[in-house]
Amino acid sequence: MAGHLVLVQAVGVRVPAPQQNMGKYVKKIFSGTSNPSLAASIANEMGAPLGNIILSRFSDGEIMVKYEENLRGNDIYIIQSTNPPAENIVELALMIDAAKRASAERINVLIPYFGYSRQDRKVIPRVPISAKVMMDIFTKAGADRIVTMDLHSTQIQGFPKIPVDNIYGSLVMMPELESHFKEKMKSGNCTLLSPDMGSSKLSQSYAKRLGMSFALIDKRRSAHNQSEVVTVVGELKDKHVLIVDDMIDTAGTIFNAACVAKEKGALSVVVAATHGIFSGDSIEKLSNDVIDQVFISDTIEIPEESHFEKLRIISSAKIFAETINRIHKGESVSKLFRKVT
């Protein structure tokens, strides 16, 4: 075998007393290569080490997975976002299969960002339901449970026959947004602007929690990744505006909404989203003067070259660590949701 060799391990993690190599439901955490920094932070929050796993490549680029420790009878947690490239999906499927064949008792898969979730139904003929295909891949490989954050559509939870926990991204974003708008809220001139109808429910939940008024943009999609604003419902003049969405891809929707807000007389525009995909010329749009600050969680690893001055990355490690602990102890995960409802 030839090619690149990667050993995924935690760095600077607090290591507890050694655990038995065998035994029912011993908790072990492993990371793929899509977001190792988040995985290390989750392990650090839990006071546990990341397990040793070798992820290597054959000379033709195919992925090979090998766990470097015993998994028999253990409770396994695999952390891997499935954003592009597609190798992240293949790598995750192979990690699940390897754990299954190593006789892991329970295989829990943490997918902070669930890729291919935007195609969750057939809107035109002869297209796949990609979210269902992804769920099928992971369940057939041997996953017993999937944990993710802010699925693009909540109906995806019902696609597989295994439990799917969809953690609210607002658990991560809300404390930072409350702190940012604390002084501005005293004047009562803050508005949450939903960039489109699809984001209205999410935006309303943020508006309710933050105590903001609500406004909505009605837009029409003219082509794939292209849209235009038709009308605005709500008052934006002399307001500090917050725009919330589940993800930012090309940033076209967010940028158009920010432009409309400034045209309508907004004093400032802040953008918040759980997942920062940042494709195309999104960085250029988000760096434009119409946007004052951008809040993003770390569900997708954002390379240094994609960082910009207005960007604020918020760690989701604490929420995922608490979720893992609740699952492992057999406690209710839904109690986490009460913090934002």
Side-chain angles (χ1 to χ4, degrees):
M1 181 181 73
H4 185 57
L5 188 66
V6 180
L7 175 62
V8 181
Q9 268 183 315
V11 178
V13 172
R14 301 189 302 272
V15 181
Q19 295 177 322
Q20 296 177 350
N21 288 330
M22 295 181 62
K24 193 173 183 181
Y25 303 143
V26 172
K27 177 173 54 183
K28 292 187 176 182
I29 309 166
F30 296 91
S31 172
T33 58
S34 71
N35 200 341
S37 58
L38 174 58
S41 296
I42 293 172
N44 193 54
E45 285 287 343
M46 298 176 66
L50 281 175
N52 292 327
I53 182 172
I54 293 178
L55 302 168
S56 59
R57 298 265 181 166
F58 292 98
S59 58
D60 63 354
E62 289 185 359
I63 300 167
M64 193 204 74
V65 173
K66 184 178 186 298
Y67 289 94
E68 288 288 281
E69 54 191 87
N70 185 29
L71 305 185
R72 186 176 298 275
N74 294 165
D75 197 0
I76 306 302
Y77 295 84
I78 301 172
I79 303 171
Q80 174 88 324
S81 285
T82 53
N83 52 289
E87 280 84 354
N88 288 333
I89 297 168
V90 177
E91 182 178 280
L92 176 56
L94 295 177
M95 291 174 72
I96 296 169
D97 184 74
K100 191 75 173 179
R101 295 178 189 278
S103 300
E105 184 69 25
R106 297 188 297 186
I107 303 172
N108 306 279
V109 182
L110 271 75
I111 309 177
Y113 169 71
F114 193 94
Y116 287 87
S117 61
R118 281 173 283 188
Q119 289 183 281
D120 55 10
R121 63 195 186 281
K122 286 188 69 172
V123 293
I124 57 175
R126 298 176 296 280
V127 297
I129 303 178
S130 302
K132 177 66 165 62
V133 175
M134 294 301 108
M135 283 294 185
D136 287 347
I137 289 172
F138 304 138
T139 54
K140 291 294 184 182
D144 295 305
R145 188 185 200 104
I146 291 175
V147 178
T148 187
M149 181 173 283
D150 272 358
L151 279 169
H152 193 63
S153 173
T154 55
Q155 72 184 36
I156 297 172
Q157 285 180 278
F159 288 177
K161 293 182 179 180
I162 63 172
V164 177
D165 296 306
N166 183 31
I167 309 301
Y168 293 161
S170 52
L171 289 166
V172 176
M173 309 300 293
M174 196 65 74
E176 292 291 334
L177 294 177
E178 286 176 332
S179 176
H180 180 84
F181 283 96
K182 184 177 180 180
E183 292 300 320
K184 296 181 176 67
M185 286 298 297
K186 292 178 180 179
S187 62
N189 63 339
C190 295
T191 294
L192 202 148
L193 176 62
S194 177
D196 55 29
M197 291 293 292
S199 303
S200 60
K201 186 175 181 180
L202 176 67
S203 298
Q204 284 175 333
S205 67
Y206 273 87
K208 180 180 178 181
R209 174 70 185 273
L210 292 167
M212 293 182 174
S213 58
F214 179 74
L216 171 69
I217 289 179
D218 180 21
K219 72 173 186 179
R220 298 289 185 268
R221 191 169 294 279
S222 55
H224 182 61
N225 277 341
Q226 294 181 14
S227 60
E228 58 180 342
V229 174
V230 176
T231 187
V232 179
V233 180
E235 183 60 48
L236 300 178
K237 185 175 175 58
D238 297 327
K239 300 283 188 179
H240 294 287
V241 173
L242 169 63
I243 302 172
V244 173
D245 212 340
D246 64 322
M247 66 174 68
I248 300 178
D249 186 1
T250 62
T253 295
I254 292 291
F255 179 69
N256 288 340
C259 289
V260 169
K262 283 296 180 75
E263 289 170 4
K264 297 292 183 179
L267 298 175
S268 66
V269 176
V270 171
V271 170
T274 306
H275 311 297
I277 302 172
F278 295 167
S279 66
D281 61 348
S282 58
I283 303 301
E284 182 180 346
K285 291 174 183 173
L286 294 171
S287 300
N288 192 281
D289 290 341
V290 298
I291 297 174
D292 294 275
Q293 193 157 15
V294 178
F295 290 91
I296 290 289
S297 80
D298 60 350
T299 56
I300 295 175
E301 188 167 57
I302 301 173
E304 283 294 330
E305 58 268 23
S306 294
H307 288 199
F308 52 98
E309 185 177 355
K310 300 175 185 179
L311 181 64
R312 172 87 164 85
I313 300 175
I314 307 169
S315 175
S316 59
K318 186 174 182 179
I319 297 301
F320 281 118
E322 186 173 350
T323 301
I324 291 175
N325 283 332
R326 286 180 176 272
I327 292 172
H328 187 66
K329 295 175 183 177
E331 298 176 352
S332 172
V333 175
S334 63
K335 284 187 177 180
L336 287 171
F337 303 157
R338 297 177 186 176
K339 298 180 180 181
V340 294
T341 55

